[in-house]
Amino acid sequence: MSQVPTSPDTAVGSETPTIELDQLPASEKTRDVEPSAPASPPATDTKYGWLVVLGCFFALMLSIGTTTTYGVYLQEYKLVEFPDAASSLLSWIGTLQFSMMCFFGIGVGVLCEHFDTRLLSALGALVSGLALVAASFCNSPWKLLLTQGLLYGFGGSLLYITGLTLPPQWFS
């Protein structure tokens, strides 16, 4: 059954179908869903907050520290491991490591909004640790590009971004 709406902005003669609530199926009647309450922020200035800061310190030390001390790795690679390799090729390992950490950081920021940061930090520690262990078995520079450059860059970005975003939540 159609009814003519009584609003003044409709044209004369145009009909709009009206559906009564009794005519709707039961599944359509129960669509009212209350929005979930936002998560409450953590209590500020607590001992647990200082433990979080300590954990973030170690995460940043592992991610940024390993990346910024690549010169130590480069010296070992050039003098001992790969003396015949070009210095520019070996330098690309550290460059790729830092740039991938920054590049993947964009996506990790989005992941921090959707997943638990403890899970992301644990995944970052696992990936970056395994990347360095895998790099220790590499016998050519291109394998180091993949392990220490690309894989460690991804794991380091997980540690870096979570280490930067957690401490401000615990202090006012």
Side-chain angles (χ1 to χ4, degrees):
M1 171 182 207
S2 297
Q3 296 176 349
V4 177
T6 58
S7 72
D9 58 334
T10 58
V12 177
S14 66
E15 296 183 5
T16 305
T18 305
I19 299 174
E20 299 295 326
L21 188 59
D22 296 337
Q23 297 173 344
L24 290 175
S27 63
E28 295 290 325
K29 292 179 187 176
T30 60
R31 276 197 175 172
D32 295 336
V33 178
E34 293 183 26
S36 61
S40 61
T44 59
D45 298 329
T46 61
K47 290 179 185 177
Y48 188 74
W50 284 107
L51 289 175
V52 169
V53 170
L54 182 65
C56 291
F57 168 75
F58 286 118
L60 290 172
M61 185 175 62
L62 179 63
S63 61
I64 295 295
T66 304
T67 303
T68 56
T69 59
Y70 179 72
V72 176
Y73 289 101
L74 181 62
Q75 183 178 6
E76 176 71 16
Y77 293 155
K78 184 61 182 165
L79 297 178
V80 179
E81 297 293 324
F82 311 110
D84 297 333
S87 295
S88 60
L89 175 63
L90 296 175
S91 296
W92 270 105
I93 299 167
T95 303
L96 184 65
Q97 180 179 354
F98 183 73
S99 61
M100 288 297 105
M101 196 168 74
C102 293
F103 176 75
F104 287 127
I106 298 168
V108 172
V110 174
L111 289 176
C112 284
E113 294 176 359
H114 298 290
F115 296 103
D116 188 14
T117 52
R118 292 174 293 189
L119 174 69
L120 294 175
S121 295
L123 181 64
L126 181 69
V127 169
S128 59
L130 288 175
L132 290 178
V133 169
S136 70
F137 291 107
C138 292
N139 54 9
S140 66
W142 72 269
K143 291 177 184 175
L144 283 173
L145 278 168
L146 296 177
T147 56
Q148 191 172 357
L150 187 67
L151 194 59
Y152 185 85
F154 174 68
S157 69
L158 287 166
L159 289 172
Y160 178 65
I161 298 300
T162 56
L164 285 180
T165 58
L166 282 179
Q169 298 175 16
W170 291 92
F171 298 96
S172 56

